[in-house]
Amino acid sequence: MRNFICSWLLICLTLAAAFPQTPGRKTRAVTVAQETERRVDELLARMTLEEKFGQMNQRFSPRNKDEENNLKSQAEMRQLIKSGRIGSLISVTGAPECNELQRIAVEESRLKIPLLFAYDVIHGYRTTFPVPLAMAASWDAETIRRASSVAATEASADGLHWTFAPMLDIGRDGRWGRIVEGFGEDPYLTSVLGAAAVRGFQKDDLSDSTALIACPKHFAGYGAAEGGRDYNSTEISEHTLRNVYLPPFRAAAGAGAGTVMTAFNDLNGTPATANNFLFRQILKSEWAFDGFVVSDANAIAELINHGYSADSAEAAQVSLLAGVDMDMQSSVYLNQLGRAVREKRVSERVIDDAVRRVLRLKFRKGLFERPYADEKLVARVMLSPENLETAREAARKSLVLLKNENSLLPLKKDMARLAVVGPYADSRELHGSWRAKGDPQNVVTVLSGIKSKISNRTELKTGVNIAESVAAAKDSDAVIIVIGEDARDTGEGGSLSTIELQRKQGIDQEELVRAVQAIGKPTVVVLVSGRPLAIPWIAQNIPAILLGWHSGLQGGNAIADALFGDYNPGGKLPVTFPRSTGQIPIYYNHKNTGRPPKEDKRNTSKYLDIPATPLFPFGYGLSYTRFAYDNLRLGAARIELGGSLKVSLQVKNIGERAGDEVVQLYIRDVAASVTRPVKELKGFSRVRLSPGEKKTVEFTLTPELLGFYNREMRFAVELGKFKVWVGTDSAGGLEGEFEVVAAPARNALRKR
Ligand code: BGC
């Protein structure tokens, strides 16, 4: 017999922790909320049905190549705004442009409801940061909060109110191009970082004119696309959905995210964009989310392609009933909902709820008070030295040192001759996918970062193809080979059938590395990518490998900082690196199976032709110094159901340089009503230690962290043994054990 503690208790605990407010602030918040609802009521009462559909309609600004058509579409759009038929625009940027259109809404439309201007501000706006997967490698919520805050300040100065970020899709398949946009494979890491991104974009108060409304996406399961092929269907059990795919969205909603976006995928036979279970039941009912839901681009119309709706009338109806409040791009709501109401297929009550949610956000954003952007801000905030420094620091924090045999790195700045070669040495692809308004010309390439780092006595030799690179290497004291992938090999529609190195500029990249390595000079590989890459030969044969990612405008400077010892890399992998594409899906928090892999035993769960372990595990990353762990202490050997457990340990820098270590806490629920992963991350802390310095790191395992959605699909902690590991990555660590036991005293009391 197993005991449970109810999910409501945990939800209360979570909410209490998420919104620690003083009574005064709380009362003020309630009053503001009441006042907002009153204003929404007042406005709703004055709206015609058509004006309501307008608020539920989001359009891209027309981008016709043909000038005449463009003018015609622009004029049509202005007319629609004037008649209250558009509630939000995407891809209009620039304060003057936004203000001009806003003026039509606010001064020429009947009800003067301001427009919401939206844009994909994914990893920075003008100052671009590392791609989100790289940012996740920082394992540093504060870095992500700060980067998102800078992005919001820049984007809002350009007239924007709303970003379609953060992407919180769990990515377990490196073939999927959009793995670059998320925070990796782990629900806990993604939850913590996702909540930080929301706080960064939205700042302390949405009505702050420098804040952007966040939009966690894509709800839900998009990252599980079969075979990693973008837009592909997903089959996800409810357990896996609730335990793996949904927690980051719950955390983002808890952090106050104003909106949520649907996903393109079919989820267990119901496309996410028409999925009542996701939006009405989970998001709006169980989580009491009071923001609004926007469809992904054209996703409502695409319900017809899915074979879920016969025509656009049906598509509009099912999405609305499922809880999708705003239609991005397809105009299906605008054109179809009138008939749906007249034919009583949808009630006006449902329409009003959707419109209420949109208006509520417009009030919260302060748009009725301040509809216009300050056109003078741009010059002051864009690409400021502070923003660029924040981007450089974020790029440094994202670097992952994958290998460093015999401390080859860092290199000396004053070596006589240095070769920097490969197709990405001087490439702006480092910028990454979804670069918003980042100008590629501002990207510091790896080569230019190195140039400004090394002494002016060092002779620098460069090369791109194999012959040039070999010649440069022969003539040098050390060689840095920069390889990887283009930004467009990742991102939306950027899925690949293999994650081995691609040919680039006609060069077989692995052949290039082999040829240069054969020269016998000290060789460093820098990887520039937005996904995990399968590089087994390189991992085996090259002594030093630095993962530089697609790291935004300042990537080249940050990489050079690390290569030459001005920065000691301390990032960790947010995603497992497989040995080959065929090893996918491979992720650390898998189930054990009845026959866990044993290298020397045939009938176990593994492939015959490669080891069962990954090339580099989740959480992995080295440093120029070394860290020793000891003194793992658990607050108790047993805790009562509903109780928490303190876990502490000591970590010491036993090397010669200062450095960052990400201390990681994992647990395993040994036997449960549904099988649990072999390990689950439940805590982490990035600590900075000087040589010889020792720190005690403490974690608290709360019921929220120990529980999961169990056989009854209730969130609960179950009785029994748990294992705990604390260490430097997901593959090892100091090990402990404790037990969750029933609470006899309270049970006895209840019986009486
Ligand atoms: C993507 C979204 C994005 C939207 C608007 C879609 O194709 O899936 O993530 O926010 O376009 O640009």
Side-chain angles (χ1 to χ4, degrees):
M1 202 37 200
R2 295 174 190 272
N3 278 0
F4 311 107
I5 61 170
C6 299
S7 51
W8 66 262
L9 175 62
L10 292 172
I11 289 167
C12 293
L13 287 171
T14 320
L15 287 177
F19 305 107
Q21 284 170 326
T22 57
R25 275 171 89 189
K26 201 166 170 183
T27 323
R28 213 161 38 244
V30 170
T31 324
V32 172
Q34 280 169 348
E35 174 60 10
T36 302
E37 295 310 304
R38 193 195 56 71
R39 293 173 78 183
V40 170
D41 283 338
E42 212 174 82
L43 199 46
L44 261 176
R46 297 169 56 210
M47 292 173 84
T48 64
L49 255 186
E50 279 64 34
E51 284 165 338
K52 291 178 182 173
F53 303 148
Q55 290 306 307
M56 300 163 73
N57 182 35
Q58 182 183 57
R59 285 274 298 266
F60 276 86
S61 91
R63 281 174 293 194
N64 285 325
K65 289 209 177 79
D66 176 274
E67 189 54 21
E68 199 177 318
N69 279 339
N70 204 34
L71 286 174
K72 205 166 139 228
S73 320
Q74 289 281 350
E76 271 165 18
M77 179 179 75
R78 284 170 162 71
Q79 193 46 45
L80 284 172
I81 297 173
K82 194 169 171 177
S83 57
R85 300 299 191 272
I86 293 182
S88 172
L89 284 170
I90 318 183
S91 295
V92 180
T93 56
E97 295 81 350
C98 293
N99 284 346
E100 189 203 331
L101 297 171
Q102 189 71 299
R103 202 158 285 127
I104 302 176
V106 170
E107 291 173 24
E108 297 178 29
S109 78
R110 191 178 77 92
L111 292 174
K112 311 190 182 328
I113 303 174
L115 295 163
L116 263 180
F117 291 100
Y119 200 63
D120 289 280
V121 183
I122 308 296
H123 56 109
Y125 188 67
R126 286 284 289 283
T127 305
T128 55
F129 290 81
V131 293
L133 186 64
M135 292 288 285
S138 73
W139 291 57
D140 186 5
E142 178 53 19
T143 293
I144 284 164
R145 190 202 59 76
R146 207 176 303 141
S148 311
S149 167
V150 167
T153 304
E154 290 193 347
S156 58
D158 231 10
L160 298 167
H161 308 127
W162 182 17
T163 176
F164 299 131
M167 191 190 93
L168 301 180
D169 297 312
I170 296 298
R172 292 173 158 181
D173 189 332
R175 292 170 297 183
W176 188 48
R178 300 197 81 170
I179 199 168
V180 67
E181 285 176 63
F183 295 133
E185 73 188 31
D186 184 65
Y188 179 77
L189 183 63
T190 304
S191 299
V192 173
L193 302 185
V198 168
R199 290 195 192 97
F201 286 129
Q202 299 198 163
K203 315 227 163 151
D204 289 335
D205 184 347
L206 258 192
S207 71
D208 181 335
S209 61
T210 70
L212 290 181
I213 302 168
C215 186
K217 65 188 188 184
H218 305 86
F219 205 68
Y222 187 36
E226 265 178 20
R229 217 166 65 231
D230 210 0
Y231 314 117
N232 210 358
S233 302
T234 63
E235 289 281 342
I236 309 174
S237 74
E238 190 176 338
H239 279 120
T240 305
L241 194 66
R242 288 187 182 270
N243 288 319
V244 177
Y245 289 90
L246 297 187
F249 290 93
R250 177 70 189 88
T259 64
V260 168
M261 188 188 290
T262 75
F264 283 129
N265 53 296
D266 178 336
L267 175 65
N268 304 331
T270 306
T273 302
N275 206 305
N276 200 292
F277 172 67
L278 285 179
F279 294 102
R280 291 259 178 238
Q281 183 174 323
I282 296 181
L283 184 72
K284 292 183 175 175
S285 167
E286 291 179 26
W287 300 354
F289 175 72
D290 72 353
F292 73 84
V293 175
V294 61
S295 77
D296 202 342
N298 206 41
I300 300 182
E302 288 169 17
L303 292 174
I304 302 168
N305 289 347
H306 275 287
Y308 192 75
S309 302
D311 51 31
S312 47
E314 202 174 295
Q317 178 183 338
V318 292
S319 302
L320 179 68
L321 293 179
V324 180
D325 306 302
M326 186 182 276
D327 169 6
M328 187 195 295
Q329 197 193 351
S330 70
S331 297
V332 166
Y333 276 5
L334 189 70
N335 298 331
Q336 298 296 338
L337 287 181
R339 191 153 64 97
V341 173
R342 283 195 300 280
E343 290 172 1
K344 301 209 174 333
R345 285 183 283 112
V346 301
S347 75
E348 217 176 321
R349 203 178 41 79
V350 182
I351 306 277
D352 282 356
D353 177 61
V355 178
R356 167 180 299 283
R357 289 166 179 273
V358 174
L359 294 177
R360 186 183 281 149
L361 256 282
K362 290 188 172 183
F363 278 113
R364 279 189 192 159
K365 186 73 196 79
L367 288 184
F368 287 85
E369 286 72 33
R370 264 181 300 97
Y372 300 114
D374 178 351
E375 297 183 16
K376 293 189 296 296
L377 271 181
V378 168
R380 181 145 38 94
V381 307
M382 302 293 186
L383 293 168
S384 71
E386 305 83 73
N387 293 359
L388 290 172
E389 191 47 42
T390 309
R392 184 171 183 158
E393 183 57 17
R396 289 160 146 195
K397 284 214 159 152
S398 305
L399 298 170
V400 184
L401 183 63
L402 294 175
K403 194 175 172 190
N404 196 20
E405 241 168 46
N406 301 322
S407 300
L408 173 56
L409 286 174
L411 299 172
K412 290 207 172 63
K413 289 179 193 166
D414 59 356
M415 92 182 55
R417 298 165 313 161
L418 173 69
V420 180
V421 301
Y424 292 92
D426 201 21
S427 162
R428 297 196 155 82
E429 292 302 319
L430 195 61
H431 207 178
S433 172
W434 290 109
R435 47 191 71 156
K437 296 287 171 184
D439 180 351
Q441 292 314 313
N442 291 336
V443 174
V444 178
T445 67
V446 177
L447 184 65
S448 48
I450 291 174
K451 274 186 186 159
S452 49
K453 182 70 58 182
I454 52 175
S455 87
N456 48 19
R457 291 180 306 281
T458 304
E459 207 182 308
L460 192 64
K461 295 165 193 298
T462 60
V464 175
N465 64 29
I466 297 182
E468 291 163 0
S469 301
V470 166
K474 273 188 181 152
D475 217 11
S476 297
D477 304 317
V479 48
I480 298 169
I481 317 175
V482 192
I483 52 171
E485 59 178 355
D486 288 355
R488 273 188 66 76
D489 294 335
T490 70
E492 188 170 354
S495 293
L496 293 170
S497 70
T498 67
I499 61 163
E500 278 74 20
L501 287 168
Q502 311 280 313
R503 273 183 93 81
K504 286 296 159 191
Q505 301 173 33
I507 304 160
D508 180 322
Q509 297 194 80
E510 185 169 313
E511 211 178 288
L512 168 86
V513 180
R514 284 176 187 256
V516 172
Q517 186 259 4
I519 308 296
K521 298 289 170 68
T523 303
V524 177
V525 159
V526 174
L527 283 178
V528 163
S529 83
R531 59 155 57 77
L533 295 173
I535 46 156
W537 188 89
I538 292 171
Q540 180 76 40
N541 295 286
I542 299 298
I545 308 170
L546 180 69
L547 176 56
W549 305 103
H550 287 153
S551 41
L553 288 192
Q554 286 290 309
N557 279 334
I559 290 169
D561 286 341
L563 289 173
F564 295 91
D566 287 341
Y567 185 77
N568 183 357
K572 303 276 187 168
L573 295 179
V575 67
T576 303
F577 269 47
R579 293 174 186 276
S580 68
T581 302
Q583 218 181 7
I584 296 173
I586 180 167
Y587 45 91
Y588 86 95
N589 48 357
H590 58 84
K591 303 288 183 73
N592 200 35
T593 81
R595 294 187 179 186
K598 285 210 176 73
E599 296 302 347
D600 55 353
K601 203 154 174 223
R602 181 187 172 92
N603 290 354
T604 62
S605 182
K606 64 173 202 275
Y607 298 111
L608 290 179
D609 52 347
I610 45 170
T613 52
L615 193 59
F616 298 112
F618 173 82
Y620 172 84
L622 304 172
S623 163
Y624 296 154
T625 187
R626 284 170 302 122
F627 300 97
Y629 284 72
D630 83 63
N631 226 353
L632 174 64
R633 291 219 171 125
L634 272 52
R638 313 170 127 216
I639 57 167
E640 285 182 7
L641 201 61
S644 295
L645 179 78
K646 288 237 185 297
V647 178
S648 71
L649 68 131
Q650 269 174 358
V651 56
K652 184 175 179 189
N653 182 344
I654 53 167
E656 265 106 61
R657 282 171 179 270
D660 288 6
E661 169 68 333
V662 180
V663 179
Q664 300 162 40
L665 168 78
Y666 296 87
I667 64 163
R668 176 170 178 179
D669 188 340
V670 177
S673 66
V674 291
T675 53
R676 303 299 300 138
V678 292
K679 271 188 181 179
E680 291 179 279
L681 181 74
K682 293 296 174 181
F684 61 90
S685 174
R686 184 165 176 150
V687 293
R688 181 151 195 82
L689 293 168
S690 308
E693 190 184 346
K694 195 195 280 189
K695 268 188 190 155
T696 299
V697 179
E698 194 173 277
F699 299 100
T700 304
L701 284 169
T702 58
E704 193 197 354
L705 293 170
L706 295 173
F708 63 99
Y709 284 87
N710 65 9
R711 187 180 294 158
E712 281 75 34
M713 214 57 81
R714 288 198 310 164
F715 188 87
V717 180
E718 292 191 350
L719 297 182
K721 284 205 169 103
F722 283 76
K723 287 192 172 179
V724 184
W725 295 264
V726 181
T728 189
D729 59 37
S730 64
L734 303 174
E735 190 175 330
E737 202 178 88
F738 68 94
E739 199 174 348
V740 176
V741 297
R746 279 202 293 280
N747 280 348
L749 212 66
R750 217 176 294 140
K751 266 185 210 135
R752 257 186 267 134

